[in-house]
Amino acid sequence: MKRVLAWATILLLAAISAKAQEPRDTTKYDMLEQSVATAHIQRTAVRRGAVVTTVAGSPLEKAGSAEDVLSRIPGMVKNGTSLEVAGRGAPQYYIDGRKVYDFEELRRLPSDEIRQIEVIQNPDAQYSADVRAVVRIKTVRRKGEGLSVDLLAKDRQLVAYPINYAEGTLGLNYRKKKLDLFANTNYWSGHSIRESILQQTTTLGGNTLYQDGSFITEWKGGGLNFDAGAAYELGENGSVGVRWYYSHTLSSNNLNTTVEDIFENNSIADRLSSVEDTRALGHPWTQRVNAYYNGTVGGTIIDINADIYSGKTFSAKTIEENSRDCEDALINVNTSNGDRLYAVKTVLSHKLWKGSITGGTEITTVARKEMYHIEPSVLPSTDIKIGETTAAAFAAYSFPIKDGEIGAGVRYEHVSFKRKDGSEDIYDRLYPSVSFSKKIKKVGLSAAYSAITRRPDFFQLSNAVSYYNRYTLQTGNPDLESEIQHTFSLGASYSWLTASCVYEHNKGHLIQWAEIYNDDYVILLDWRNHTSPTRFLTAIVSLQPTVGVWHPSWTLGVKKQWLDLGWMTMNRPIWFANINNAFVLPKSWQIDANLQTNSAGDIDVTYSSKPILNSDIGIQKSFLENKSLTVRLSYEDVFNSTQEDLSIYMNNYFLRQYNRFDTQKVVLTLRYKFNTTEGKYRGSGAGNDIRSRL
């Protein structure tokens, strides 16, 4: 890593030296220095129920990757290390209509390849009923034939520890007339550390067990991702293609070390230390094949996608517990999971009267096998087989009005959930949606309503009991029902100002809970549907003016929930701000300075009592005649302030956890592109929502 940073420093110094020797265009520089007026170019607008941001031609195209761009556009917020749609959580991502299955793909997609991004808070009827938000990325349409090469090398060096996270990607594309062949491979090797302090209180009758300890998690791993495929254009009105994805975990080792003091009724009862070592076995893998056809026949647009997905994971866990006053324990756990999914989705669109009608079907079947074996038999081993079939039909109609559009749709889903013992649950439901958008002079307005659901993940439905430590067990709940959510959203945009508000009424909200397992203070963590409705509100304001070379993108907002647990309420709001600043300089230089912060507040049954602050700075430069080589050097979490202090309330069980993350790091990115062309692949995928639940 030191050698890489040394070469990067030499390269940057050489570029600065070359820049200093270049002749100075005094006219251009004088005009630049005198330009302090705020521009009113509208980069973001509200259209058809979506917040649409143009990236091409703006400073965002030099942000680095698609992930970097997404963290700086209205409608998106950065929550720790993850990205969310404001008020809706993690979205489904699409690139040119193709579903993104691996978030690493967004980290590898260069920002200058992006033309436009649409953030949809209320997806319409063609998306599955449990999709809360959608982000559609449209790339720049490039022309050209022949072989193109895209190389990416990135290294993240931690500041506090002598460890790093490295990755490399090679992308090849060959395009000739109507044929497009492509292949991409990505290798990664990672290492991370998290330090925590845990304080747990369990109340049993009139007695109390208090646990006070430290917790260190260290993870190491590496893997290989690969995809390849072909696309062929059928004249001007259609194309077909096939794509194969393969992900292979070469190694994964998670080591948890805990030391804690145990107090019973304020008297020390034990000192417990444990080491939990979890290793992946047999190189876990997943693969997916997507085939598609899209085209126009007789004025009807046809889009057909078929998917096959499969994956297997194997792991072995050893838990060694050493007690000062009680028996020591050595626990061995073996787990394996296997998944298989088949899905077909058909979408038809046709002009009708003054507007257009869209309809289609989506059929998905999934089978999952889980095996859990523990020695000695402190818990029963499990062998679970579950299956789920979803058949959906949807229709939507939209028509234009003056400077706007009105749309309405409905989706019907029939879900059959089967277990190994032959029992079956069947759900039938309609999910309506309505949208309205209009531009009044220079102000864009939008409003939307949708009814959606949130189905439990498959691990939440499992009744297998897993061992965490001698005081904590975990399980799922086969009796969980799906959430029903009614969502209302409003949006407005004017010049460089954008605002939005999302309100959600949720029935059957899924929360994790704790039950007393036995008289030895053992806690069983499971899942349940909250009995009373839960409400959520998120409001944001985004500003994107331009002042000379300074291009700020600031988002300020608040998110609040109304959750009544009966014995206490969790209603404290969280205020947040994403303050992003780009300075676009001559000769292809750019400097970025960004800050994200959250106040204290409630999230489900958790109170975050410590404000979170994260900041980063970066500098980049493009080289060569066609700017095909880009070098970026950044420093993340400058003040080493990304920390959490969480309090979790579960009736007779209370947990306080303080987390310190290893997010302070130096990141070096090198990217080289040669003869890049636009891919012709237009597959969008099917069964996307169920695959994510696996």
Side-chain angles (χ1 to χ4, degrees), residues 408-478:
V410 65
R411 183 182 180 96
Y412 164 75
E413 290 192 351
H414 171 84
V415 180
S416 171
F417 185 83
K418 296 182 179 180
R419 303 178 182 86
K420 184 179 180 180
D421 60 7
S423 60
E424 180 179 12
D425 295 328
I426 296 178
Y427 307 95
D428 293 279
R429 190 173 178 87
L430 292 173
Y431 300 93
S433 59
V434 180
S435 64
F436 166 83
S437 63
K438 184 173 177 61
K439 189 170 185 179
I440 302 176
K441 294 184 178 180
K442 295 183 179 181
V443 179
L445 301 172
S446 72
Y449 159 79
S450 65
I452 63 172
T453 187
R454 177 194 170 192
R455 298 189 181 93
D457 291 331
F458 285 91
F459 79 89
Q460 294 174 316
L461 293 167
S462 172
N463 60 3
V465 179
S466 58
Y467 185 91
Y468 180 69
N469 59 42
R470 63 179 60 190
Y471 292 106
T472 308
L473 307 176
Q474 298 182 77
T475 188
N477 181 1

Side-chain angles (χ1 to χ4, degrees), residues 204-215:
L204 178 60
N207 299 313
T208 299
L209 185 79
Y210 176 69
Q211 301 166 250
D212 184 10
S214 62
F215 183 82

Side-chain angles (χ1 to χ4, degrees), residues 28-179:
K28 180 173 63 177
Y29 275 70
D30 291 341
M31 292 177 64
L32 179 64
E33 291 166 0
Q34 295 172 10
S35 176
V36 295
T38 300
H40 294 282
I41 300 174
Q42 188 169 7
R43 287 187 288 160
T44 300
V46 175
R47 295 198 296 266
R48 296 184 178 181
V51 179
V52 182
T53 299
T54 300
V55 176
S58 77
L60 290 172
E61 71 176 1
K62 301 298 182 183
S65 68
E67 180 187 26
D68 298 317
V69 174
L70 289 167
S71 66
R72 304 175 193 182
I73 64 173
M76 300 290 295
V77 293
K78 194 167 186 177
N79 185 8
T81 58
S82 62
L83 286 171
E84 298 178 354
V85 173
R88 307 301 290 149
Q92 278 193 359
Y93 294 97
Y94 290 83
I95 298 176
D96 291 331
R98 175 178 57 83
K99 173 72 168 65
V100 175
Y101 283 89
D102 183 2
F103 191 82
E104 289 295 326
E105 187 174 350
L106 298 176
R107 295 189 172 109
R108 299 192 296 267
L109 177 64
S111 54
D112 59 5
E113 296 283 336
I114 301 173
R115 176 169 58 91
Q116 191 179 81
I117 297 178
E118 298 179 6
V119 179
I120 304 171
Q121 294 174 321
N122 268 338
D124 59 27
Q126 69 172 295
Y127 297 99
S128 177
D130 58 358
V131 175
R132 294 170 55 86
V134 171
V135 172
R136 294 196 295 226
I137 300 172
K138 299 180 180 179
T139 60
V140 176
R141 295 186 174 274
R142 303 184 185 276
K143 297 181 179 180
E145 293 188 345
L147 178 67
S148 63
V149 179
D150 193 345
L151 291 169
L152 171 70
K154 178 178 285 189
D155 193 277
R156 306 172 182 90
Q157 175 65 55
L158 271 65
V159 174
Y161 305 96
I163 59 179
N164 69 315
Y165 188 119
E167 69 170 306
T169 301
L170 170 63
L172 300 175
N173 185 283
Y174 179 76
R175 181 174 175 179
K176 184 68 173 178
K177 295 182 179 180
K178 298 181 179 181
L179 180 64

Side-chain angles (χ1 to χ4, degrees), residues 441-639:
K441 294 184 178 180
K442 295 183 179 181
V443 179
L445 301 172
S446 72
Y449 159 79
S450 65
I452 63 172
T453 187
R454 177 194 170 192
R455 298 189 181 93
D457 291 331
F458 285 91
F459 79 89
Q460 294 174 316
L461 293 167
S462 172
N463 60 3
V465 179
S466 58
Y467 185 91
Y468 180 69
N469 59 42
R470 63 179 60 190
Y471 292 106
T472 308
L473 307 176
Q474 298 182 77
T475 188
N477 181 1
D479 297 324
L480 286 177
E481 300 284 344
S482 297
E483 297 179 7
I484 301 298
Q485 305 168 0
H486 297 275
T487 304
F488 304 84
S489 63
L490 297 172
S493 63
Y494 174 77
S495 186
W496 42 264
L497 180 66
T498 305
S500 68
C501 179
V502 179
Y503 173 80
E504 178 184 309
H505 184 279
N506 191 321
K507 183 179 179 181
H509 183 51
L510 291 170
I511 59 174
Q512 193 169 33
W513 205 245
E515 303 284 353
I516 297 294
Y517 186 74
N518 60 25
D519 294 336
D520 293 326
Y521 298 101
V522 177
I523 286 293
L524 178 65
L525 297 175
D526 62 6
W527 292 85
R528 63 174 56 186
N529 294 104
H530 193 48
T531 53
S532 59
T534 307
R535 294 169 292 153
F536 302 89
L537 176 68
T538 302
I540 65 170
V541 176
S542 298
L543 303 89
Q544 292 182 300
T546 299
V547 184
V549 299
W550 178 36
H551 299 265
S553 178
W554 296 2
T555 296
L556 311 174
V558 61
K559 48 188 175 182
K560 178 178 171 59
Q561 68 177 22
W562 288 267
L563 176 61
D564 187 355
L565 298 177
W567 50 279
M568 71 176 297
T569 59
M570 306 288 288
N571 299 342
R572 288 164 287 197
I574 295 178
W575 299 87
F576 59 90
N578 286 4
I579 308 298
N580 301 301
N581 303 276
F583 299 89
V584 181
L585 306 175
K587 307 301 180 183
S588 301
W589 284 89
Q590 180 166 316
I591 298 175
D592 298 294
N594 308 309
L595 182 146
Q596 298 86 36
T597 182
N598 287 355
S599 73
D602 290 324
I603 307 172
D604 280 348
V605 296
T606 301
Y607 173 61
S608 177
S609 60
K610 182 181 180 63
I612 298 174
L613 176 68
N614 188 13
S615 57
D616 62 86
I617 57 175
I619 183 171
Q620 70 180 43
K621 164 75 174 173
S622 296
F623 298 90
L624 304 182
E625 183 178 356
N626 57 355
K627 315 299 182 187
S628 57
L629 175 64
T630 300
V631 180
R632 181 178 179 86
L633 187 64
S634 59
Y635 191 81
E636 298 181 357
D637 194 7
V638 176
F639 303 107

Side-chain angles (χ1 to χ4, degrees), residues 246-252 280-286 312-315:
Y246 182 77
S247 178
H248 189 76
T249 301
L250 300 177
S251 64
S252 180
L281 302 177
H283 304 306
W285 56 268
T286 61
K312 288 187 177 181
T313 60
F314 308 91
S315 66

